[in-house]
Amino acid sequence: MTFGAEKGKNRWRLPAEWEPQEGVQLTWPHAATDWAPMLEEVIAVYREMAREIAKRERLLVVAPQNAAYDCLRIICDTNDTWARDHGFISLVDDQGHRRLLDYQFNGWGQKFEAALDNAINRRLYDAGELEGEYVDCLDFVLEGGSIESDGKGTIFTTSGCLLAPHRNQPLTKSEIEARLLHDLGAERVLWIDHGGLTGDDTDGHIDTLVRICPDDTLLYIGCDDPEDEQYEELKLMEEQLMTFRTLEGRPYRLLKLPMPRPVYDEGERLPATHANFLVINGAVLCPTYGQSDIDAEALRIIGEAFPDREIIGIDCRPVIRQHGSLHCCTMQFPEAKIVNSEK
């Protein structure tokens, strides 16, 4: 299987999230998951996400037999609902082809049981639900929430996650980077070394911290309160982002998102962040946390990065109680299309 450079250029690439999409996957909450004590609350959030997605593109719902939902669904046993991390990572080329990369999901470094979730992709593919070439990458642990792509050769990730225990040891950082470049058809990897959020059990997924947006824009979480326990790490992350340059050597446009006021569950601070939004065709679905002033400001700033899309807030207070948010619940499938190019 050949990835990466072909006739002097990268044939396969990981598209940016804002490129045209065919559909989005949701893995539905049910009573055998950690959602059981608040199942109706979280299903209400999933229904809202589902409605907004289905207005604009295909909705693929993965659920066990006893998890009823009033649309077409794929029957499949699941451990949990975090489609971002157990879902396919999809590549496209300029000839209208798609590759479906099936990486190992091991419960964020063997923290949680994940055998059923790790089998979802093969089940979907064998059922004929997804078009594309299946690629077995199960020898490598990689979660969709741990990487961001600008669609033109740069992959962003965090050292906190990809170098965390029980992921891909004994591989070194350089070996992991080489694997990312090889598999994803990229030219470079930019590593973010700071920014962990209190209550985060992913070891620092980038989709809670920094998001790449059109026109070389980085949306990132900031913190202006020196008394906040996250202040120092987020300040160091901001300083590092200021040093990053595009492939053309220009600084990125930086837009800072406000830090929500602390959200707690039974005395535990949760990793609430507005960076965990989902870009879909014509819209951006953004998490909100019942903080009208901060939510409004965050949605306004996200709108600056995506001026051509409708900005839709979805109350994710039930979802954040399990330490994830809107983007974590979803996985998009890019549209594969033929791109005309001069020979």
Side-chain angles (χ1 to χ4, degrees):
M1 196 65 68
T2 301
F3 291 80
E6 184 171 300
K7 294 184 178 179
K9 65 177 183 178
N10 287 340
R11 179 183 178 218
W12 292 99
R13 65 185 182 90
L14 178 61
E17 192 168 303
W18 61 84
E19 295 185 44
Q21 296 175 10
E22 178 181 315
V24 171
Q25 176 183 330
L26 290 176
T27 303
W28 208 253
H30 56 87
T33 65
D34 290 340
W35 298 114
M38 50 181 168
L39 190 56
E40 292 307 313
E41 292 177 74
V42 77
I43 283 178
V45 179
Y46 269 69
R47 285 183 179 274
E48 190 171 358
M49 289 191 289
R51 281 193 295 269
E52 295 297 341
I53 293 165
K55 289 177 186 177
R56 299 167 175 86
E57 54 195 88
R58 182 188 182 202
L59 173 65
L60 176 62
V61 174
V62 176
Q65 185 69 45
N66 62 346
Y69 180 61
D70 52 357
C71 78
L72 175 66
R73 69 183 188 276
I74 304 305
I75 305 301
C76 184
D77 289 336
T78 65
N79 297 109
D80 215 323
T81 59
W82 307 109
R84 178 62 46 181
D85 297 335
H86 61 241
F88 279 115
I89 293 174
S90 304
L91 307 185
V92 297
D93 70 1
D94 59 5
Q95 301 302 307
H97 304 133
R98 181 165 53 204
R99 275 182 172 163
L100 303 167
L101 309 188
D102 188 8
Y103 287 97
Q104 181 185 158
F105 173 60
N106 72 347
W108 308 287
Q110 301 175 2
K111 296 183 182 75
F112 304 96
E113 177 56 44
L116 295 175
D117 290 345
N118 198 42
I120 291 173
N121 290 340
R122 188 75 224 194
R123 181 73 173 270
L124 290 177
Y125 188 78
D126 289 346
E129 288 299 324
L130 299 170
E131 293 185 1
E133 176 189 4
Y134 177 91
V135 182
D136 185 339
C137 299
L138 293 169
D139 63 328
F140 190 76
V141 175
L142 186 65
E143 299 129 24
S146 70
I147 56 173
E148 282 275 301
S149 173
D150 65 358
K152 53 186 182 180
T154 299
I155 301 297
F156 294 78
T157 192
T158 66
S159 54
C161 178
L162 264 66
L163 304 182
H166 309 296
R167 291 300 210 289
N168 288 301
Q169 288 82 6
L171 296 183
T172 65
K173 180 178 180 179
S174 61
E175 289 170 330
I176 290 172
E177 178 168 319
R179 177 67 185 257
L180 295 178
L181 296 174
H182 175 269
D183 284 11
L184 304 179
E187 296 184 37
R188 63 174 184 162
V189 177
L190 291 181
W191 294 80
I192 297 169
D193 300 314
H194 305 281
L197 296 178
T198 303
D200 172 31
D201 50 23
T202 70
D203 301 303
H205 273 186
I206 193 169
D207 69 349
T208 65
L209 299 168
V210 181
R211 304 296 303 281
I212 181 69
C213 307
D215 302 318
D216 294 326
T217 298
L218 298 181
L219 270 174
Y220 69 99
I221 290 295
C223 181
D224 297 324
D225 179 8
E227 301 302 314
D228 191 304
E229 60 192 311
Q230 302 171 139
Y231 175 82
E232 197 63 40
E233 272 293 297
L234 292 175
K235 189 68 175 176
L236 290 170
M237 183 184 79
E238 181 181 51
E239 292 171 356
Q240 186 177 20
L241 295 180
M242 290 176 178
T243 70
F244 284 173
R245 296 294 180 267
T246 67
L247 282 168
E248 296 76 25
R250 297 188 297 270
Y252 285 91
R253 175 194 182 204
L254 300 180
L255 294 178
K256 183 167 72 171
L257 291 167
M259 174 61 61
R261 288 184 288 275
V263 178
Y264 293 94
D265 182 46
E266 297 182 350
E268 178 185 19
R269 185 170 182 175
L270 304 174
T273 163
H274 292 94
N276 205 247
F277 56 80
L278 172 71
V279 186
I280 58 176
N281 295 337
V284 184
L285 306 185
C286 307
T288 61
Y289 302 102
Q291 302 176 12
S292 58
D293 54 341
I294 296 178
D295 290 338
E297 178 66 4
L299 268 59
R300 183 193 67 78
I301 294 169
I302 292 170
E304 283 189 41
F306 295 95
D308 58 341
R309 281 175 160 82
E310 184 179 3
I311 308 301
I312 300 169
I314 294 179
D315 188 344
C316 286
R317 281 177 288 180
V319 179
I320 198 63
R321 288 167 64 186
Q322 288 295 333
H323 305 265
S325 200
L326 196 154
H327 193 253
C328 305
C329 299
T330 59
M331 176 53 85
Q332 75 280 351
F333 296 98
E335 179 182 303
K337 60 181 181 179
I338 298 175
V339 178
N340 294 323
S341 58
E342 295 182 4
K343 294 184 179 180

Short mmCIF file of all heavy atoms in Angstrom, two decimals, residues 13-19 148-156 188 212-214 216 246-248 252:
data_model
loop_
_atom_site.label_atom_id
_atom_site.label_comp_id
_atom_site.label_asym_id
_atom_site.label_seq_id
_atom_site.Cartn_x
_atom_site.Cartn_y
_atom_site.Cartn_z
N ARG A 13 -4.43 12.69 0.69
CA ARG A 13 -4.31 13.73 1.72
C ARG A 13 -5.49 13.62 2.68
O ARG A 13 -6.56 13.10 2.34
CB ARG A 13 -4.28 15.13 1.09
CG ARG A 13 -5.56 15.51 0.40
CD ARG A 13 -5.48 16.85 -0.33
NE ARG A 13 -6.77 17.16 -0.94
CZ ARG A 13 -7.74 17.84 -0.32
NH1 ARG A 13 -7.53 18.32 0.90
NH2 ARG A 13 -8.89 18.07 -0.90
N LEU A 14 -5.27 14.14 3.88
CA LEU A 14 -6.33 14.25 4.87
C LEU A 14 -6.96 15.62 4.69
O LEU A 14 -6.34 16.64 4.98
CB LEU A 14 -5.75 14.10 6.28
CG LEU A 14 -6.72 14.23 7.45
CD1 LEU A 14 -7.80 13.16 7.39
CD2 LEU A 14 -5.97 14.16 8.77
N PRO A 15 -8.20 15.68 4.20
CA PRO A 15 -8.80 16.98 3.92
C PRO A 15 -9.10 17.76 5.19
O PRO A 15 -9.26 17.19 6.27
CB PRO A 15 -10.09 16.63 3.17
CG PRO A 15 -10.41 15.24 3.61
CD PRO A 15 -9.10 14.56 3.87
N ALA A 16 -9.20 19.06 5.04
CA ALA A 16 -9.64 19.90 6.16
C ALA A 16 -11.11 19.64 6.43
O ALA A 16 -11.87 19.26 5.53
CB ALA A 16 -9.41 21.38 5.81
N GLU A 17 -11.53 19.87 7.66
CA GLU A 17 -12.90 19.56 8.05
C GLU A 17 -13.92 20.42 7.32
O GLU A 17 -15.07 20.00 7.14
CB GLU A 17 -13.05 19.72 9.56
CG GLU A 17 -14.34 19.17 10.13
CD GLU A 17 -14.34 19.09 11.64
OE1 GLU A 17 -13.44 18.43 12.20
OE2 GLU A 17 -15.23 19.70 12.26
N TRP A 18 -13.52 21.62 6.89
CA TRP A 18 -14.48 22.51 6.24
C TRP A 18 -14.66 22.20 4.75
O TRP A 18 -15.49 22.82 4.09
CB TRP A 18 -14.06 23.97 6.42
CG TRP A 18 -12.72 24.30 5.82
CD1 TRP A 18 -12.45 24.62 4.51
CD2 TRP A 18 -11.46 24.34 6.50
NE1 TRP A 18 -11.11 24.87 4.34
CE2 TRP A 18 -10.48 24.71 5.54
CE3 TRP A 18 -11.08 24.13 7.83
CZ2 TRP A 18 -9.14 24.85 5.89
CZ3 TRP A 18 -9.74 24.27 8.15
CH2 TRP A 18 -8.78 24.62 7.21
N GLU A 19 -13.94 21.23 4.21
CA GLU A 19 -14.16 20.83 2.83
C GLU A 19 -15.48 20.07 2.71
O GLU A 19 -16.03 19.58 3.71
CB GLU A 19 -12.98 20.00 2.35
CG GLU A 19 -11.68 20.77 2.31
CD GLU A 19 -10.52 19.97 1.73
OE1 GLU A 19 -10.73 19.29 0.70
OE2 GLU A 19 -9.42 20.02 2.32
N GLU A 148 -5.37 17.41 13.63
CA GLU A 148 -6.07 18.39 12.79
C GLU A 148 -5.30 18.53 11.49
O GLU A 148 -4.06 18.44 11.48
CB GLU A 148 -6.11 19.75 13.48
CG GLU A 148 -7.15 19.88 14.57
CD GLU A 148 -8.51 20.27 14.01
OE1 GLU A 148 -8.64 21.33 13.37
OE2 GLU A 148 -9.46 19.49 14.19
N SER A 149 -6.01 18.76 10.39
CA SER A 149 -5.36 18.92 9.08
C SER A 149 -5.85 20.20 8.42
O SER A 149 -7.03 20.54 8.50
CB SER A 149 -5.69 17.73 8.18
OG SER A 149 -5.22 17.95 6.86
N ASP A 150 -4.94 20.90 7.75
CA ASP A 150 -5.34 22.07 6.97
C ASP A 150 -5.69 21.69 5.53
O ASP A 150 -6.04 22.56 4.72
CB ASP A 150 -4.26 23.15 6.99
CG ASP A 150 -2.96 22.74 6.30
OD1 ASP A 150 -2.86 21.59 5.83
OD2 ASP A 150 -2.04 23.58 6.24
N GLY A 151 -5.57 20.39 5.20
CA GLY A 151 -5.92 19.92 3.87
C GLY A 151 -4.88 20.17 2.81
O GLY A 151 -5.05 19.76 1.66
N LYS A 152 -3.78 20.81 3.19
CA LYS A 152 -2.76 21.14 2.19
C LYS A 152 -1.35 20.79 2.66
O LYS A 152 -0.37 21.39 2.22
CB LYS A 152 -2.84 22.62 1.80
CG LYS A 152 -2.80 23.59 2.97
CD LYS A 152 -3.04 25.03 2.48
CE LYS A 152 -2.95 26.02 3.63
NZ LYS A 152 -3.18 27.41 3.18
N GLY A 153 -1.26 19.81 3.59
CA GLY A 153 0.05 19.27 3.89
C GLY A 153 0.52 19.37 5.32
O GLY A 153 1.56 18.80 5.66
N THR A 154 -0.21 20.11 6.18
CA THR A 154 0.21 20.26 7.56
C THR A 154 -0.75 19.53 8.49
O THR A 154 -1.96 19.72 8.41
CB THR A 154 0.28 21.75 7.97
OG1 THR A 154 1.23 22.43 7.14
CG2 THR A 154 0.69 21.89 9.43
N ILE A 155 -0.19 18.71 9.36
CA ILE A 155 -0.94 18.03 10.41
C ILE A 155 -0.55 18.67 11.74
O ILE A 155 0.64 18.86 12.03
CB ILE A 155 -0.62 16.52 10.45
CG1 ILE A 155 -0.98 15.86 9.12
CG2 ILE A 155 -1.35 15.84 11.62
CD1 ILE A 155 -2.44 15.91 8.76
N PHE A 156 -1.54 19.01 12.55
CA PHE A 156 -1.32 19.52 13.90
C PHE A 156 -1.67 18.43 14.90
O PHE A 156 -2.65 17.71 14.74
CB PHE A 156 -2.22 20.73 14.17
CG PHE A 156 -1.92 21.94 13.33
CD1 PHE A 156 -2.35 22.01 12.02
CD2 PHE A 156 -1.22 23.02 13.86
CE1 PHE A 156 -2.09 23.12 11.24
CE2 PHE A 156 -0.95 24.13 13.09
CZ PHE A 156 -1.39 24.19 11.76
N ARG A 188 4.36 17.82 6.74
CA ARG A 188 4.98 18.14 8.02
C ARG A 188 3.96 17.96 9.13
O ARG A 188 2.74 17.94 8.91
CB ARG A 188 5.52 19.56 8.04
CG ARG A 188 4.43 20.61 7.88
CD ARG A 188 4.96 22.00 8.05
NE ARG A 188 3.87 22.98 8.00
CZ ARG A 188 3.96 24.23 8.44
NH1 ARG A 188 5.10 24.67 8.97
NH2 ARG A 188 2.94 25.06 8.37
N ILE A 212 -7.72 24.22 13.39
CA ILE A 212 -7.29 24.87 12.17
C ILE A 212 -8.52 25.25 11.35
O ILE A 212 -9.46 24.47 11.23
CB ILE A 212 -6.33 23.97 11.36
CG1 ILE A 212 -5.85 24.66 10.08
CG2 ILE A 212 -6.94 22.62 11.06
CD1 ILE A 212 -4.95 25.84 10.32
N CYS A 213 -8.54 26.46 10.82
CA CYS A 213 -9.69 27.01 10.09
C CYS A 213 -9.21 27.59 8.76
O CYS A 213 -8.01 27.69 8.51
CB CYS A 213 -10.35 28.11 10.92
SG CYS A 213 -10.79 27.60 12.60
N PRO A 214 -10.13 27.96 7.87
CA PRO A 214 -9.73 28.48 6.57
C PRO A 214 -8.82 29.70 6.69
O PRO A 214 -8.78 30.40 7.70
CB PRO A 214 -11.07 28.85 5.91
CG PRO A 214 -12.07 27.98 6.58
CD PRO A 214 -11.60 27.83 8.00
N ASP A 216 -5.59 29.96 6.86
CA ASP A 216 -4.46 29.85 7.81
C ASP A 216 -4.79 30.50 9.15
O ASP A 216 -3.99 31.23 9.74
CB ASP A 216 -3.19 30.47 7.21
CG ASP A 216 -2.70 29.70 6.00
OD1 ASP A 216 -2.86 28.47 5.99
OD2 ASP A 216 -2.18 30.33 5.06
N THR A 246 3.22 29.08 8.45
CA THR A 246 2.63 28.29 7.39
C THR A 246 3.73 27.71 6.50
O THR A 246 4.90 28.07 6.62
CB THR A 246 1.69 29.15 6.52
OG1 THR A 246 2.48 30.11 5.81
CG2 THR A 246 0.66 29.86 7.39
N LEU A 247 3.34 26.84 5.59
CA LEU A 247 4.32 26.29 4.65
C LEU A 247 4.97 27.39 3.81
O LEU A 247 6.09 27.23 3.33
CB LEU A 247 3.65 25.26 3.74
CG LEU A 247 3.41 23.88 4.37
CD1 LEU A 247 2.48 23.05 3.49
CD2 LEU A 247 4.72 23.14 4.60
N GLU A 248 4.25 28.51 3.67
CA GLU A 248 4.79 29.64 2.90
C GLU A 248 5.62 30.57 3.77
O GLU A 248 6.16 31.57 3.27
CB GLU A 248 3.65 30.43 2.25
CG GLU A 248 2.83 29.65 1.21
CD GLU A 248 1.85 28.66 1.84
OE1 GLU A 248 1.45 28.88 3.02
OE2 GLU A 248 1.50 27.68 1.17
N TYR A 252 0.52 32.42 11.41
CA TYR A 252 -0.91 32.12 11.36
C TYR A 252 -1.72 33.28 11.93
O TYR A 252 -1.24 34.01 12.80
CB TYR A 252 -1.21 30.84 12.14
CG TYR A 252 -0.80 29.58 11.43
CD1 TYR A 252 0.46 29.04 11.62
CD2 TYR A 252 -1.67 28.94 10.55
CE1 TYR A 252 0.85 27.88 10.95
CE2 TYR A 252 -1.29 27.79 9.88
CZ TYR A 252 -0.03 27.26 10.08
OH TYR A 252 0.35 26.13 9.41
#
